[in-house]
Amino acid sequence: MTPVELVGNALCLDFANTVNSRPVARRDWMATPEEATTWADAVGRPIEDPRGLAAALPAARELREAVFRVFEALAHEDDPPRQDLDAIAVLYAEGVARSHLEAHGAGYRLAWQAPRTAEILLWEVAASAVELLTHGQLERLGGCPSCCWLFLDTSKNGRRRWCSMASCGSRDKARRYYATRSTP
């Protein structure tokens, strides 16, 4: 099985990256309950109660696309679509209404009653998106020019260009290298 790649540096961005490329995806971690479970395990948010997971996948894909459109627009310094911001806000409000605060480190965080469900995972993604929108370094958002994955650039110099150097970065550099060698 293909390993899950986590390059977004924020849960919501890794969720938006659950398809391996855009506009045509060859891999979708939200296509089946088994793949969604694998992805949730990889991000440290296992789905403990899989009942309802298959029914939640269409909503997961809708949230993924809303998150992608919002942060892709911001990465390109455009205004995000209002309907996508509203969709994230509605899901976030629903999650907050069903949550409680629990101690976490020196502060508190939103938490939900066990067992963890797909619904809780979507609330966590919406909460991550709202947190990034309201308190994140939006000027550090980037999009890979090769696969369109989104990331929060945490590099020291703020000049990250690709989702990862190991995949798209090395392919792009190789493509440019061979292009310069083949021109007369």
Side-chain angles (χ1 to χ4, degrees), residues 100-164:
H100 61 274
L101 291 171
E102 73 177 15
H104 179 71
Y108 288 82
R109 69 176 174 190
L110 294 177
W112 293 269
Q113 293 289 22
R116 292 184 48 74
T117 62
E119 187 175 46
I120 290 171
L121 177 62
L122 298 184
W123 292 335
E124 289 173 322
V125 169
S128 170
V130 168
E131 176 68 20
L132 186 53
L133 286 166
T134 58
H135 301 294
Q137 295 179 298
L138 296 179
E139 72 280 359
R140 287 296 198 89
L141 281 171
C144 181
S146 182
C147 68
C148 298
W149 272 8
L150 299 169
F151 54 85
L152 188 60
D153 183 355
T154 58
S155 67
K156 186 175 181 179
N157 66 6
R159 296 177 54 121
R160 182 174 167 189
R161 292 180 58 193
W162 300 285
C163 61
S164 76

Tab-separated table of all heavy atoms in Angstrom, residues 100-164:
chain	number	residue	atom	x	y	z
A	100	HIS	N	-16.346	19.790	24.077
A	100	HIS	CA	-16.067	20.329	25.402
A	100	HIS	C	-14.588	20.720	25.413
A	100	HIS	O	-13.831	20.331	24.522
A	100	HIS	CB	-16.386	19.309	26.512
A	100	HIS	CG	-15.579	18.054	26.416
A	100	HIS	ND1	-15.949	16.989	25.633
A	100	HIS	CD2	-14.401	17.700	27.000
A	100	HIS	CE1	-15.052	16.026	25.740
A	100	HIS	NE2	-14.098	16.431	26.555
A	101	LEU	N	-14.195	21.507	26.373
A	101	LEU	CA	-12.793	21.903	26.489
A	101	LEU	C	-12.092	20.952	27.440
A	101	LEU	O	-12.628	20.586	28.483
A	101	LEU	CB	-12.669	23.338	26.996
A	101	LEU	CG	-13.124	24.403	26.013
A	101	LEU	CD1	-13.169	25.769	26.692
A	101	LEU	CD2	-12.214	24.451	24.800
A	102	GLU	N	-10.880	20.557	27.051
A	102	GLU	CA	-10.077	19.718	27.931
A	102	GLU	C	-8.668	20.278	27.990
A	102	GLU	O	-8.199	20.915	27.039
A	102	GLU	CB	-10.072	18.257	27.482
A	102	GLU	CG	-9.264	17.965	26.254
A	102	GLU	CD	-9.231	16.487	25.883
A	102	GLU	OE1	-10.050	15.693	26.388
A	102	GLU	OE2	-8.375	16.137	25.061
A	103	ALA	N	-8.015	20.039	29.118
A	103	ALA	CA	-6.649	20.526	29.311
A	103	ALA	C	-5.727	19.885	28.273
A	103	ALA	O	-5.852	18.698	27.958
A	103	ALA	CB	-6.172	20.204	30.716
A	104	HIS	N	-4.827	20.710	27.756
A	104	HIS	CA	-3.852	20.236	26.774
A	104	HIS	C	-2.590	21.084	26.934
A	104	HIS	O	-2.593	22.264	26.577
A	104	HIS	CB	-4.405	20.361	25.355
A	104	HIS	CG	-3.459	19.920	24.297
A	104	HIS	ND1	-3.143	18.593	24.103
A	104	HIS	CD2	-2.746	20.613	23.383
A	104	HIS	CE1	-2.284	18.502	23.102
A	104	HIS	NE2	-2.021	19.714	22.659
A	105	GLY	N	-1.542	20.483	27.467
A	105	GLY	CA	-0.324	21.245	27.714
A	105	GLY	C	-0.605	22.369	28.686
A	105	GLY	O	-1.216	22.174	29.730
A	106	ALA	N	-0.199	23.583	28.307
A	106	ALA	CA	-0.405	24.746	29.167
A	106	ALA	C	-1.759	25.407	28.930
A	106	ALA	O	-2.083	26.391	29.571
A	106	ALA	CB	0.712	25.762	28.930
A	107	GLY	N	-2.552	24.870	27.997
A	107	GLY	CA	-3.829	25.491	27.671
A	107	GLY	C	-4.941	24.465	27.573
A	107	GLY	O	-4.928	23.447	28.263
A	108	TYR	N	-5.872	24.733	26.685
A	108	TYR	CA	-7.025	23.869	26.485
A	108	TYR	C	-7.248	23.666	24.997
A	108	TYR	O	-6.763	24.428	24.171
A	108	TYR	CB	-8.279	24.494	27.112
A	108	TYR	CG	-8.238	24.440	28.619
A	108	TYR	CD1	-7.540	25.401	29.339
A	108	TYR	CD2	-8.866	23.417	29.296
A	108	TYR	CE1	-7.468	25.347	30.722
A	108	TYR	CE2	-8.810	23.352	30.681
A	108	TYR	CZ	-8.103	24.311	31.384
A	108	TYR	OH	-8.033	24.239	32.740
A	109	ARG	N	-8.005	22.625	24.676
A	109	ARG	CA	-8.367	22.372	23.286
A	109	ARG	C	-9.773	21.796	23.234
A	109	ARG	O	-10.298	21.316	24.235
A	109	ARG	CB	-7.381	21.409	22.639
A	109	ARG	CG	-7.468	20.009	23.190
A	109	ARG	CD	-6.540	19.064	22.465
A	109	ARG	NE	-6.555	17.765	23.120
A	109	ARG	CZ	-5.718	16.811	22.837
A	109	ARG	NH1	-4.790	16.989	21.932
A	109	ARG	NH2	-5.792	15.663	23.455
A	110	LEU	N	-10.361	21.851	22.036
A	110	LEU	CA	-11.665	21.238	21.832
A	110	LEU	C	-11.497	19.729	21.862
A	110	LEU	O	-10.515	19.191	21.328
A	110	LEU	CB	-12.252	21.635	20.481
A	110	LEU	CG	-12.625	23.100	20.282
A	110	LEU	CD1	-13.117	23.322	18.858
A	110	LEU	CD2	-13.680	23.526	21.283
A	111	ALA	N	-12.456	19.038	22.443
A	111	ALA	CA	-12.438	17.578	22.479
A	111	ALA	C	-13.873	17.078	22.373
A	111	ALA	O	-14.827	17.817	22.647
A	111	ALA	CB	-11.785	17.087	23.765
A	112	TRP	N	-14.006	15.820	21.958
A	112	TRP	CA	-15.317	15.217	21.789
A	112	TRP	C	-15.359	13.891	22.532
A	112	TRP	O	-14.317	13.267	22.758
A	112	TRP	CB	-15.614	15.018	20.303
A	112	TRP	CG	-15.773	16.320	19.586
A	112	TRP	CD1	-16.953	16.978	19.407
A	112	TRP	CD2	-14.759	17.137	19.001
A	112	TRP	NE1	-16.723	18.160	18.727
A	112	TRP	CE2	-15.381	18.278	18.464
A	112	TRP	CE3	-13.383	17.027	18.866
A	112	TRP	CZ2	-14.686	19.291	17.818
A	112	TRP	CZ3	-12.676	18.034	18.221
A	112	TRP	CH2	-13.337	19.157	17.708
A	113	GLN	N	-16.562	13.453	22.862
A	113	GLN	CA	-16.739	12.194	23.578
A	113	GLN	C	-16.307	11.021	22.701
A	113	GLN	O	-16.603	10.990	21.505
A	113	GLN	CB	-18.212	11.995	23.975
A	113	GLN	CG	-18.707	12.977	24.994
A	113	GLN	CD	-18.098	12.723	26.386
A	113	GLN	OE1	-17.051	12.112	26.547
A	113	GLN	NE2	-18.769	13.212	27.392
A	114	ALA	N	-15.633	10.072	23.311
A	114	ALA	CA	-15.242	8.841	22.626
A	114	ALA	C	-16.500	8.010	22.387
A	114	ALA	O	-17.504	8.181	23.081
A	114	ALA	CB	-14.229	8.089	23.476
A	115	PRO	N	-16.496	7.142	21.440
A	115	PRO	CA	-15.382	6.800	20.548
A	115	PRO	C	-15.273	7.786	19.388
A	115	PRO	O	-16.250	8.444	19.015
A	115	PRO	CB	-15.755	5.406	20.048
A	115	PRO	CG	-17.257	5.400	20.051
A	115	PRO	CD	-17.666	6.266	21.219
A	116	ARG	N	-14.064	7.878	18.856
A	116	ARG	CA	-13.813	8.766	17.714
A	116	ARG	C	-14.546	8.239	16.484
A	116	ARG	O	-14.437	7.074	16.144
A	116	ARG	CB	-12.316	8.838	17.428
A	116	ARG	CG	-11.531	9.555	18.506
A	116	ARG	CD	-10.067	9.682	18.147
A	116	ARG	NE	-9.885	10.186	16.795
A	116	ARG	CZ	-10.079	11.453	16.411
A	116	ARG	NH1	-10.442	12.343	17.296
A	116	ARG	NH2	-9.897	11.812	15.173
A	117	THR	N	-15.255	9.127	15.815
A	117	THR	CA	-16.012	8.772	14.612
A	117	THR	C	-15.510	9.609	13.439
A	117	THR	O	-14.727	10.542	13.614
A	117	THR	CB	-17.512	9.067	14.825
A	117	THR	OG1	-17.655	10.476	15.053
A	117	THR	CG2	-18.085	8.280	15.992
A	118	ALA	N	-16.004	9.283	12.259
A	118	ALA	CA	-15.674	10.083	11.073
A	118	ALA	C	-16.180	11.508	11.248
A	118	ALA	O	-15.522	12.465	10.830
A	118	ALA	CB	-16.285	9.446	9.830
A	119	GLU	N	-17.318	11.664	11.882
A	119	GLU	CA	-17.887	12.989	12.122
A	119	GLU	C	-16.930	13.843	12.964
A	119	GLU	O	-16.701	15.016	12.670
A	119	GLU	CB	-19.231	12.827	12.822
A	119	GLU	CG	-20.012	14.090	12.994
A	119	GLU	CD	-21.387	13.818	13.585
A	119	GLU	OE1	-21.495	13.049	14.562
A	119	GLU	OE2	-22.346	14.391	13.043
A	120	ILE	N	-16.351	13.247	13.993
A	120	ILE	CA	-15.396	13.968	14.832
A	120	ILE	C	-14.169	14.366	14.020
A	120	ILE	O	-13.662	15.488	14.148
A	120	ILE	CB	-15.008	13.126	16.072
A	120	ILE	CG1	-16.208	13.049	17.029
A	120	ILE	CG2	-13.783	13.706	16.775
A	120	ILE	CD1	-16.026	12.076	18.187
A	121	LEU	N	-13.705	13.475	13.157
A	121	LEU	CA	-12.558	13.811	12.311
A	121	LEU	C	-12.864	15.027	11.445
A	121	LEU	O	-12.036	15.930	11.317
A	121	LEU	CB	-12.162	12.617	11.438
A	121	LEU	CG	-11.017	12.857	10.459
A	121	LEU	CD1	-9.724	13.213	11.192
A	121	LEU	CD2	-10.812	11.634	9.579
A	122	LEU	N	-14.052	15.100	10.879
A	122	LEU	CA	-14.415	16.252	10.039
A	122	LEU	C	-14.507	17.525	10.871
A	122	LEU	O	-14.105	18.596	10.415
A	122	LEU	CB	-15.722	15.988	9.291
A	122	LEU	CG	-15.688	14.806	8.317
A	122	LEU	CD1	-17.004	14.697	7.568
A	122	LEU	CD2	-14.513	14.893	7.353
A	123	TRP	N	-14.992	17.426	12.101
A	123	TRP	CA	-15.015	18.591	12.983
A	123	TRP	C	-13.598	19.059	13.288
A	123	TRP	O	-13.333	20.259	13.344
A	123	TRP	CB	-15.745	18.283	14.275
A	123	TRP	CG	-17.218	18.052	14.114
A	123	TRP	CD1	-18.039	18.521	13.114
A	123	TRP	CD2	-18.052	17.296	14.979
A	123	TRP	NE1	-19.320	18.099	13.310
A	123	TRP	CE2	-19.374	17.343	14.455
A	123	TRP	CE3	-17.827	16.575	16.151
A	123	TRP	CZ2	-20.444	16.712	15.069
A	123	TRP	CZ3	-18.901	15.938	16.761
A	123	TRP	CH2	-20.189	16.010	16.228
A	124	GLU	N	-12.685	18.114	13.479
A	124	GLU	CA	-11.293	18.478	13.752
A	124	GLU	C	-10.651	19.157	12.538
A	124	GLU	O	-9.883	20.111	12.693
A	124	GLU	CB	-10.481	17.243	14.146
A	124	GLU	CG	-10.839	16.709	15.500
A	124	GLU	CD	-10.157	15.405	15.828
A	124	GLU	OE1	-9.995	14.554	14.927
A	124	GLU	OE2	-9.782	15.229	17.002
A	125	VAL	N	-10.971	18.689	11.355
A	125	VAL	CA	-10.451	19.320	10.134
A	125	VAL	C	-11.000	20.741	10.029
A	125	VAL	O	-10.252	21.685	9.743
A	125	VAL	CB	-10.797	18.489	8.883
A	125	VAL	CG1	-10.503	19.270	7.609
A	125	VAL	CG2	-10.026	17.159	8.895
A	126	ALA	N	-12.298	20.913	10.261
A	126	ALA	CA	-12.897	22.255	10.209
A	126	ALA	C	-12.273	23.163	11.266
A	126	ALA	O	-11.974	24.335	10.994
A	126	ALA	CB	-14.412	22.169	10.394
A	127	ALA	N	-12.038	22.628	12.462
A	127	ALA	CA	-11.394	23.416	13.524
A	127	ALA	C	-9.975	23.808	13.125
A	127	ALA	O	-9.535	24.937	13.380
A	127	ALA	CB	-11.393	22.638	14.837
A	128	SER	N	-9.259	22.901	12.488
A	128	SER	CA	-7.912	23.204	12.012
A	128	SER	C	-7.946	24.311	10.963
A	128	SER	O	-7.116	25.229	10.975
A	128	SER	CB	-7.273	21.937	11.430
A	128	SER	OG	-6.067	22.227	10.764
A	129	ALA	N	-8.920	24.248	10.066
A	129	ALA	CA	-9.049	25.278	9.024
A	129	ALA	C	-9.353	26.636	9.643
A	129	ALA	O	-8.746	27.654	9.267
A	129	ALA	CB	-10.131	24.880	8.024
A	130	VAL	N	-10.278	26.667	10.596
A	130	VAL	CA	-10.627	27.935	11.252
A	130	VAL	C	-9.418	28.471	12.016
A	130	VAL	O	-9.136	29.671	11.981
A	130	VAL	CB	-11.866	27.768	12.160
A	130	VAL	CG1	-12.067	28.980	13.056
A	130	VAL	CG2	-13.099	27.516	11.299
A	131	GLU	N	-8.699	27.604	12.702
A	131	GLU	CA	-7.505	28.028	13.442
A	131	GLU	C	-6.474	28.641	12.484
A	131	GLU	O	-5.903	29.698	12.766
A	131	GLU	CB	-6.890	26.836	14.188
A	131	GLU	CG	-5.610	27.151	14.908
A	131	GLU	CD	-5.778	28.096	16.100
A	131	GLU	OE1	-6.890	28.239	16.631
A	131	GLU	OE2	-4.768	28.710	16.491
A	132	LEU	N	-6.241	27.993	11.350
A	132	LEU	CA	-5.281	28.515	10.379
A	132	LEU	C	-5.774	29.834	9.778
A	132	LEU	O	-4.990	30.779	9.611
A	132	LEU	CB	-5.019	27.478	9.282
A	132	LEU	CG	-3.940	27.801	8.258
A	132	LEU	CD1	-2.605	28.159	8.911
A	132	LEU	CD2	-3.761	26.615	7.306
A	133	LEU	N	-7.061	29.915	9.492
A	133	LEU	CA	-7.619	31.143	8.920
A	133	LEU	C	-7.565	32.310	9.899
A	133	LEU	O	-7.358	33.454	9.496
A	133	LEU	CB	-9.067	30.919	8.480
A	133	LEU	CG	-9.262	30.089	7.219
A	133	LEU	CD1	-10.704	29.643	7.088
A	133	LEU	CD2	-8.812	30.862	5.993
A	134	THR	N	-7.758	32.045	11.170
A	134	THR	CA	-7.844	33.127	12.148
A	134	THR	C	-6.530	33.433	12.852
A	134	THR	O	-6.336	34.559	13.300
A	134	THR	CB	-8.923	32.828	13.207
A	134	THR	OG1	-8.622	31.586	13.853
A	134	THR	CG2	-10.304	32.763	12.585
A	135	HIS	N	-5.640	32.455	12.962
A	135	HIS	CA	-4.404	32.662	13.719
A	135	HIS	C	-3.146	32.205	12.991
A	135	HIS	O	-2.059	32.285	13.562
A	135	HIS	CB	-4.471	31.936	15.071
A	135	HIS	CG	-5.613	32.383	15.926
A	135	HIS	ND1	-5.710	33.657	16.445
A	135	HIS	CD2	-6.723	31.728	16.343
A	135	HIS	CE1	-6.817	33.754	17.144
A	135	HIS	NE2	-7.459	32.610	17.099
A	136	GLY	N	-3.287	31.712	11.780
A	136	GLY	CA	-2.140	31.166	11.063
A	136	GLY	C	-1.376	32.222	10.290
A	136	GLY	O	-1.816	33.356	10.145
A	137	GLN	N	-0.241	31.823	9.820
A	137	GLN	CA	0.587	32.698	8.984
A	137	GLN	C	0.187	32.475	7.525
A	137	GLN	O	0.854	31.761	6.782
A	137	GLN	CB	2.060	32.383	9.195
A	137	GLN	CG	2.540	32.694	10.588
A	137	GLN	CD	3.999	32.342	10.740
A	137	GLN	OE1	4.384	31.190	10.605
A	137	GLN	NE2	4.812	33.356	11.013
A	138	LEU	N	-0.894	33.101	7.123
A	138	LEU	CA	-1.431	32.872	5.784
A	138	LEU	C	-0.464	33.295	4.688
A	138	LEU	O	-0.518	32.770	3.578
A	138	LEU	CB	-2.779	33.586	5.629
A	138	LEU	CG	-3.887	33.075	6.555
A	138	LEU	CD1	-5.162	33.864	6.350
A	138	LEU	CD2	-4.121	31.589	6.366
A	139	GLU	N	0.432	34.221	4.994
A	139	GLU	CA	1.433	34.615	4.003
A	139	GLU	C	2.426	33.487	3.745
A	139	GLU	O	3.169	33.529	2.765
A	139	GLU	CB	2.169	35.892	4.448
A	139	GLU	CG	3.141	35.705	5.599
A	139	GLU	CD	2.491	35.647	6.990
A	139	GLU	OE1	1.251	35.766	7.100
A	139	GLU	OE2	3.248	35.474	7.956
A	140	ARG	N	2.436	32.457	4.573
A	140	ARG	CA	3.333	31.319	4.419
A	140	ARG	C	2.663	30.143	3.711
A	140	ARG	O	3.241	29.076	3.586
A	140	ARG	CB	3.848	30.848	5.783
A	140	ARG	CG	4.877	31.766	6.446
A	140	ARG	CD	6.106	31.806	5.610
A	140	ARG	NE	7.350	32.255	6.116
A	140	ARG	CZ	8.288	31.549	6.724
A	140	ARG	NH1	8.104	30.324	7.062
A	140	ARG	NH2	9.432	32.076	7.022
A	141	LEU	N	1.417	30.323	3.238
A	141	LEU	CA	0.746	29.260	2.489
A	141	LEU	C	1.393	29.110	1.127
A	141	LEU	O	1.742	30.100	0.483
A	141	LEU	CB	-0.729	29.592	2.286
A	141	LEU	CG	-1.641	29.352	3.458
A	141	LEU	CD1	-3.020	29.938	3.171
A	141	LEU	CD2	-1.748	27.877	3.774
A	142	GLY	N	1.525	27.878	0.689
A	142	GLY	CA	2.068	27.616	-0.633
A	142	GLY	C	1.319	26.494	-1.307
A	142	GLY	O	0.599	25.726	-0.666
A	143	GLY	N	1.508	26.410	-2.602
A	143	GLY	CA	0.925	25.335	-3.389
A	143	GLY	C	1.981	24.770	-4.309
A	143	GLY	O	2.717	25.517	-4.953
A	144	CYS	N	2.092	23.458	-4.353
A	144	CYS	CA	3.080	22.813	-5.211
A	144	CYS	C	2.679	23.019	-6.672
A	144	CYS	O	1.553	22.689	-7.051
A	144	CYS	CB	3.159	21.329	-4.881
A	144	CYS	SG	4.374	20.438	-5.873
A	145	PRO	N	3.583	23.535	-7.503
A	145	PRO	CA	3.239	23.758	-8.904
A	145	PRO	C	3.097	22.462	-9.698
A	145	PRO	O	2.506	22.453	-10.772
A	145	PRO	CB	4.406	24.599	-9.430
A	145	PRO	CG	5.537	24.294	-8.518
A	145	PRO	CD	4.933	23.991	-7.187
A	146	SER	N	3.595	21.372	-9.153
A	146	SER	CA	3.543	20.098	-9.861
A	146	SER	C	2.259	19.321	-9.569
A	146	SER	O	1.562	18.902	-10.481
A	146	SER	CB	4.772	19.264	-9.495
A	146	SER	OG	4.773	18.059	-10.201
A	147	CYS	N	1.944	19.113	-8.290
A	147	CYS	CA	0.789	18.282	-7.935
A	147	CYS	C	-0.358	19.074	-7.322
A	147	CYS	O	-1.421	18.513	-7.072
A	147	CYS	CB	1.216	17.178	-6.973
A	147	CYS	SG	1.696	17.768	-5.336
A	148	CYS	N	-0.150	20.344	-7.025
A	148	CYS	CA	-1.150	21.246	-6.437
A	148	CYS	C	-1.415	21.002	-4.961
A	148	CYS	O	-2.384	21.544	-4.410
A	148	CYS	CB	-2.473	21.218	-7.210
A	148	CYS	SG	-2.306	21.779	-8.900
A	149	TRP	N	-0.585	20.198	-4.286
A	149	TRP	CA	-0.763	20.044	-2.848
A	149	TRP	C	-0.487	21.364	-2.163
A	149	TRP	O	0.338	22.161	-2.617
A	149	TRP	CB	0.178	18.980	-2.307
A	149	TRP	CG	-0.399	17.595	-2.372
A	149	TRP	CD1	-1.547	17.198	-2.982
A	149	TRP	CD2	0.178	16.426	-1.802
A	149	TRP	NE1	-1.726	15.859	-2.822
A	149	TRP	CE2	-0.682	15.365	-2.107
A	149	TRP	CE3	1.330	16.182	-1.072
A	149	TRP	CZ2	-0.418	14.061	-1.687
A	149	TRP	CZ3	1.587	14.893	-0.665
A	149	TRP	CH2	0.710	13.840	-0.969
A	150	LEU	N	-1.156	21.574	-1.055
A	150	LEU	CA	-1.013	22.798	-0.269
A	150	LEU	C	-0.105	22.535	0.925
A	150	LEU	O	-0.051	21.423	1.440
A	150	LEU	CB	-2.382	23.262	0.223
A	150	LEU	CG	-3.389	23.590	-0.870
A	150	LEU	CD1	-4.770	23.780	-0.271
A	150	LEU	CD2	-2.963	24.814	-1.642
A	151	PHE	N	0.583	23.585	1.364
A	151	PHE	CA	1.448	23.440	2.535
A	151	PHE	C	1.610	24.783	3.222
A	151	PHE	O	1.441	25.838	2.612
A	151	PHE	CB	2.818	22.874	2.154
A	151	PHE	CG	3.530	23.653	1.073
A	151	PHE	CD1	4.301	24.770	1.377
A	151	PHE	CD2	3.427	23.267	-0.258
A	151	PHE	CE1	4.949	25.483	0.390
A	151	PHE	CE2	4.070	23.976	-1.259
A	151	PHE	CZ	4.839	25.091	-0.935
A	152	LEU	N	1.929	24.710	4.494
A	152	LEU	CA	2.303	25.875	5.275
A	152	LEU	C	3.821	25.842	5.333
A	152	LEU	O	4.411	24.894	5.856
A	152	LEU	CB	1.684	25.795	6.673
A	152	LEU	CG	1.816	27.013	7.552
A	152	LEU	CD1	1.146	28.224	6.904
A	152	LEU	CD2	1.196	26.755	8.909
A	153	ASP	N	4.451	26.837	4.755
A	153	ASP	CA	5.908	26.878	4.662
A	153	ASP	C	6.499	27.208	6.025
A	153	ASP	O	6.389	28.330	6.504
A	153	ASP	CB	6.321	27.921	3.622
A	153	ASP	CG	7.827	27.979	3.393
A	153	ASP	OD1	8.579	27.281	4.107
A	153	ASP	OD2	8.246	28.724	2.496
A	154	THR	N	7.109	26.231	6.642
A	154	THR	CA	7.735	26.426	7.948
A	154	THR	C	9.251	26.513	7.832
A	154	THR	O	9.947	26.501	8.841
A	154	THR	CB	7.363	25.279	8.909
A	154	THR	OG1	7.769	24.036	8.329
A	154	THR	CG2	5.866	25.263	9.183
A	155	SER	N	9.753	26.621	6.595
A	155	SER	CA	11.200	26.717	6.411
A	155	SER	C	11.705	28.055	6.961
A	155	SER	O	10.966	29.032	7.029
A	155	SER	CB	11.579	26.583	4.930
A	155	SER	OG	11.099	27.684	4.189
A	156	LYS	N	12.956	28.065	7.320
A	156	LYS	CA	13.540	29.262	7.935
A	156	LYS	C	13.464	30.475	7.001
A	156	LYS	O	13.094	31.564	7.409
A	156	LYS	CB	14.993	28.975	8.315
A	156	LYS	CG	15.654	30.092	9.080
A	156	LYS	CD	17.049	29.693	9.522
A	156	LYS	CE	17.696	30.812	10.304
A	156	LYS	NZ	19.035	30.433	10.758
A	157	ASN	N	13.777	30.260	5.736
A	157	ASN	CA	13.796	31.393	4.807
A	157	ASN	C	12.466	31.646	4.099
A	157	ASN	O	12.325	32.610	3.360
A	157	ASN	CB	14.924	31.222	3.779
A	157	ASN	CG	14.706	30.049	2.855
A	157	ASN	OD1	13.667	29.397	2.880
A	157	ASN	ND2	15.694	29.758	2.021
A	158	GLY	N	11.490	30.763	4.309
A	158	GLY	CA	10.170	30.971	3.714
A	158	GLY	C	10.145	30.866	2.205
A	158	GLY	O	9.315	31.495	1.559
A	159	ARG	N	10.997	30.020	1.636
A	159	ARG	CA	11.072	29.921	0.174
A	159	ARG	C	10.755	28.524	-0.343
A	159	ARG	O	11.216	28.140	-1.418
A	159	ARG	CB	12.446	30.363	-0.288
A	159	ARG	CG	12.703	31.834	0.016
A	159	ARG	CD	14.090	32.223	-0.374
A	159	ARG	NE	14.341	31.872	-1.768
A	159	ARG	CZ	14.683	32.716	-2.710
A	159	ARG	NH1	14.823	33.980	-2.403
A	159	ARG	NH2	14.901	32.322	-3.937
A	160	ARG	N	9.971	27.760	0.390
A	160	ARG	CA	9.603	26.418	-0.045
A	160	ARG	C	8.796	26.505	-1.331
A	160	ARG	O	7.893	27.326	-1.456
A	160	ARG	CB	8.787	25.750	1.065
A	160	ARG	CG	8.385	24.337	0.773
A	160	ARG	CD	7.720	23.737	1.991
A	160	ARG	NE	7.048	22.496	1.679
A	160	ARG	CZ	6.243	21.867	2.521
A	160	ARG	NH1	6.033	22.356	3.727
A	160	ARG	NH2	5.662	20.747	2.167
A	161	ARG	N	9.113	25.638	-2.295
A	161	ARG	CA	8.449	25.687	-3.595
A	161	ARG	C	7.565	24.489	-3.888
A	161	ARG	O	6.627	24.593	-4.669
A	161	ARG	CB	9.491	25.783	-4.705
A	161	ARG	CG	10.231	27.097	-4.694
A	161	ARG	CD	11.262	27.177	-5.784
A	161	ARG	NE	10.650	27.002	-7.091
A	161	ARG	CZ	11.335	26.789	-8.191
A	161	ARG	NH1	12.640	26.733	-8.161
A	161	ARG	NH2	10.726	26.639	-9.336
A	162	TRP	N	7.905	23.322	-3.341
A	162	TRP	CA	7.200	22.093	-3.687
A	162	TRP	C	6.592	21.458	-2.446
A	162	TRP	O	6.979	21.765	-1.326
A	162	TRP	CB	8.164	21.087	-4.315
A	162	TRP	CG	8.812	21.584	-5.552
A	162	TRP	CD1	8.240	21.706	-6.794
A	162	TRP	CD2	10.151	22.049	-5.696
A	162	TRP	NE1	9.149	22.209	-7.680
A	162	TRP	CE2	10.345	22.425	-7.035
A	162	TRP	CE3	11.225	22.179	-4.819
A	162	TRP	CZ2	11.529	22.918	-7.523
A	162	TRP	CZ3	12.416	22.669	-5.299
A	162	TRP	CH2	12.557	23.029	-6.644
A	163	CYS	N	5.701	20.501	-2.694
A	163	CYS	CA	5.124	19.754	-1.578
A	163	CYS	C	6.241	19.069	-0.802
A	163	CYS	O	6.273	19.114	0.418
A	163	CYS	CB	4.091	18.753	-2.078
A	163	CYS	SG	4.743	17.510	-3.216
A	164	SER	N	7.158	18.447	-1.530
A	164	SER	CA	8.346	17.866	-0.908
A	164	SER	C	9.446	17.786	-1.956
A	164	SER	O	9.187	17.566	-3.133
A	164	SER	CB	8.069	16.481	-0.322
A	164	SER	OG	7.995	15.507	-1.322
